Amino acid sequence: MPLRFREELDEGDRHMSVDVDFPPRAGKLGAKASIDGKPEPLDLNATPIARDMLSTFLYLRALPVKAGTPVCLEVYAARKMWTMAGAVGPREQIETPLGKFNAVRIDMTATRQDDPNVKRGAHVWVTDDDRRLPLVAVGDVRGKTIRAQLVEAPASRLKTAATKPERKTGAPRVGTSIGR
């Protein structure tokens, strides 16, 4: 669970910042916001399960990867609280700049809590192994599609779907394995 979220954003000649304290207390998320150094009120209702976007990715990595497993989260993003609901999707093989990976897709819809008419789709792919590396995230933001993807990782720890099992040499092969 997150403890603190800080965001600084320069958009043109405007400077915006937000400090958010977790967990929420008395049904409110402690948030201090400013635009160009002037305080801006930010009143956010939130339950104890509320989290920021980064810890949401960590949570998604810990989900059981059985297709159909439901996902429901309360997430702070873009100065708003969102309900993200969806499910673990199918297993797929995807290609990234790092190679081909066996992955699990998680499909969600984010609904703004203060305006349920504002909805955004999101999809996240994580590796279908114990590491559950976040490979790709695709989402809609104000009518535009954004994409984030893993483009670099230590090669010694990175195994793609195309990686063949390493054969140990020098030791005699003992026994057999059914289904291998």
Side-chain angles (χ1 to χ4, degrees):
M1 293 299 292
L3 296 176
R4 187 167 185 214
F5 175 85
R6 180 166 175 77
E7 179 178 60
E8 299 268 345
L9 175 67
D10 290 314
E11 196 172 87
D13 59 351
R14 285 183 108 178
H15 178 78
M16 297 179 273
S17 69
V18 179
D19 281 303
V20 183
D21 292 323
F22 291 89
R25 290 175 177 79
K28 296 285 184 184
L29 198 56
K32 295 178 189 137
S34 68
I35 295 180
D36 296 328
K38 297 175 191 164
E40 179 184 286
L42 196 55
D43 184 36
L44 301 168
N45 294 322
T47 67
I49 66 165
R51 57 183 61 242
D52 67 318
M53 189 57 73
L54 181 59
S55 66
T56 298
F57 279 107
L58 296 173
Y59 175 84
L60 293 176
R61 290 179 66 191
L63 277 178
V65 291
K66 182 180 176 194
T69 300
V71 178
C72 189
L73 300 164
E74 190 173 306
V75 180
Y76 166 82
R79 297 180 178 226
K80 303 289 181 192
M81 289 303 299
W82 301 79
T83 299
M84 295 187 76
V88 174
R91 286 174 158 68
E92 302 173 337
Q93 189 173 81
I94 65 169
E95 191 166 346
T96 74
L98 294 174
K100 290 182 182 178
F101 291 88
N102 293 322
V104 176
R105 189 180 77 218
I106 303 166
D107 302 314
M108 296 171 288
T109 299
T111 305
R112 219 168 83 185
Q113 289 184 356
D114 66 333
D115 185 354
N117 293 321
V118 179
K119 296 179 186 275
R120 297 181 177 160
H123 309 279
V124 176
W125 285 262
V126 296
T127 58
D128 189 13
D129 58 20
D130 290 341
R131 298 167 304 154
R132 304 257 178 84
L133 292 174
L135 296 170
V136 178
V138 177
D140 300 325
V141 176
R142 296 183 181 157
K144 296 180 182 177
T145 301
I146 61 166
R147 177 185 174 101
Q149 66 181 357
L150 184 65
V151 296
E152 188 175 343
S156 62
R157 297 180 57 203
L158 192 63
K159 295 179 184 171
T160 68
T163 304
K164 293 181 182 175
E166 202 174 299
R167 180 163 178 144
K168 295 178 183 175
T169 57
R173 190 165 181 175
V174 178
T176 185
S177 177
I178 297 173
R180 252 180 116 187

